[in-house]
Amino acid sequence: MFGEWREDIRCVFQRDPAARTPFEVLTTYPGVHAVMAHRLAHRLWRAEWRYPARLLSFLARLVSNVDIHPGARIGARLFIDHGAGVVIGETAEIGEDVTLYHGVTLGGTSWHKGKRHPTLGDGVLVGAGAKILGPITIGAQARVGANSVVVCEVPPACTVVGIPGKVVKVREAGRLNPYGVDLDHHLIPDPVGKAIACLLERLDSLEKRVEAGDPIVSGSQQQLYQSCDPDNDICENDCAGGGIALGQVPGHRRTTTLGTTAD
């Protein structure tokens, strides 16, 4: 346990540029206080000392404003930045090197006993105010955008944003700091805005075809439209040009805000 405490203090310097000395971290960081208290409370819980464990977690909550149930399983080097308003439920499981910002909730969605809280893989980062609910798994190195509400599984190394949370593909990773930690959790796409932009592009394309007297939907294109399944790559791969699946129409050109490009 003392070794885990030392790692909990050292990891702060890898993820918080405001940290200056170990003494400052040990005495002024509520997130560190909450995790250290939980290490002890969890051992009491596993030893069937349930009331002392709950009492210790309650006292830790009064001091740190972080509510961690003593039954939660937490891996090494968890960093709770600022700490205010974080809630971690009884059956939650957190891997190693996880980062939680203030206002995060790892909550349950069932009244039944048993597994009812989330599982976070190694290296997961959860933005401020995010809610992860139910016995779902957030894959290793995944990122949850601020204020997202996640109720479904998230694959490893993906980013999830929105209410309810939707998995989006990030083409460019954030910059790693000297310790190999990616804290650029503000680099998140806008799937709703992207879908609206694609609709506007499609409307523009249809208007031009109507003005030119071309048939809007021919028999051969109807099958392509039916096979077009919009996803996170809409207007880029599956539905390039606002509805032509995979660019299967020879000579098709799509109009973008930057000009006209050939597929």
Side-chain angles (χ1 to χ4, degrees):
M1 185 175 65
F2 289 102
E4 289 180 329
W5 281 353
R6 286 192 292 269
E7 286 188 320
D8 292 334
I9 295 173
R10 282 198 296 264
C11 78
V12 174
F13 296 94
Q14 302 174 5
R15 290 174 252 179
D16 185 6
R20 295 181 297 178
T21 66
F23 181 76
E24 178 185 60
V25 170
L26 182 60
T27 56
T28 65
Y29 275 61
V32 173
H33 300 159
V35 174
M36 294 178 68
H38 172 76
R39 303 287 187 199
L40 178 56
H42 183 64
R43 280 163 173 75
L44 294 174
W45 184 267
R46 291 175 58 187
E48 301 296 330
W49 291 62
R50 298 299 171 87
Y51 179 75
R54 291 303 302 267
L55 181 60
L56 178 57
S57 65
F58 170 73
L59 295 176
R61 177 184 178 184
L62 294 180
V63 174
S64 66
N65 196 23
V66 176
D67 187 356
I68 308 178
H69 192 283
R73 298 181 179 182
I74 295 179
R77 298 176 297 279
L78 169 65
F79 177 43
I80 303 177
D81 199 1
H82 295 288
V86 172
V87 177
I88 301 176
E90 176 187 7
T91 61
E93 299 178 45
I94 300 177
E96 297 182 350
D97 301 303
V98 171
T99 302
L100 307 180
Y101 285 88
H102 55 279
V104 168
T105 298
L106 306 183
T109 57
S110 171
W111 293 100
H112 302 290
K113 293 185 179 295
K115 179 64 173 174
R116 59 189 186 278
H117 295 93
T119 296
L120 274 58
D122 296 343
V124 169
L125 185 146
V126 184
K131 317 300 178 187
I132 305 177
L133 307 176
I136 61 177
T137 299
I138 309 298
Q141 307 302 322
R143 305 156 72 74
V144 180
N147 290 319
S148 299
V149 178
V150 184
V151 293
C152 296
E153 305 277 336
V154 177
C158 286
T159 296
V160 58
V161 297
I163 303 175
K166 294 180 175 60
V167 174
V168 294
K169 300 175 183 178
V170 179
R171 289 167 176 74
E172 181 179 355
R175 295 172 297 174
L176 299 180
N177 69 9
Y179 300 98
V181 180
D182 179 7
L183 295 178
D184 288 335
H185 57 290
H186 64 289
L187 301 177
I188 55 178
D190 182 7
V192 176
K194 188 175 181 180
I196 293 175
C198 289
L199 288 174
L200 294 175
E201 179 182 340
R202 181 59 185 157
L203 287 173
D204 181 66
S205 175
L206 288 173
E207 289 174 353
K208 290 181 179 179
R209 294 176 62 182
V210 170
E211 292 175 357
D214 293 337
I216 296 180
V217 180
S218 66
S220 62
Q221 290 177 339
Q222 181 65 44
Q223 295 179 353
L224 296 179
Y225 294 150
Q226 293 176 353
S227 65
C228 177
D229 185 15
D231 59 11
N232 294 319
D233 290 334
I234 187 171
C235 285
E236 295 183 13
N237 294 325
D238 294 343
C239 301
I244 307 300
L246 301 178
Q248 297 177 26
V249 178
H252 170 71
R253 302 178 67 84
R254 63 185 176 91
T255 302
T256 67
T257 56
L258 299 179
T260 302
T261 60
D263 291 337

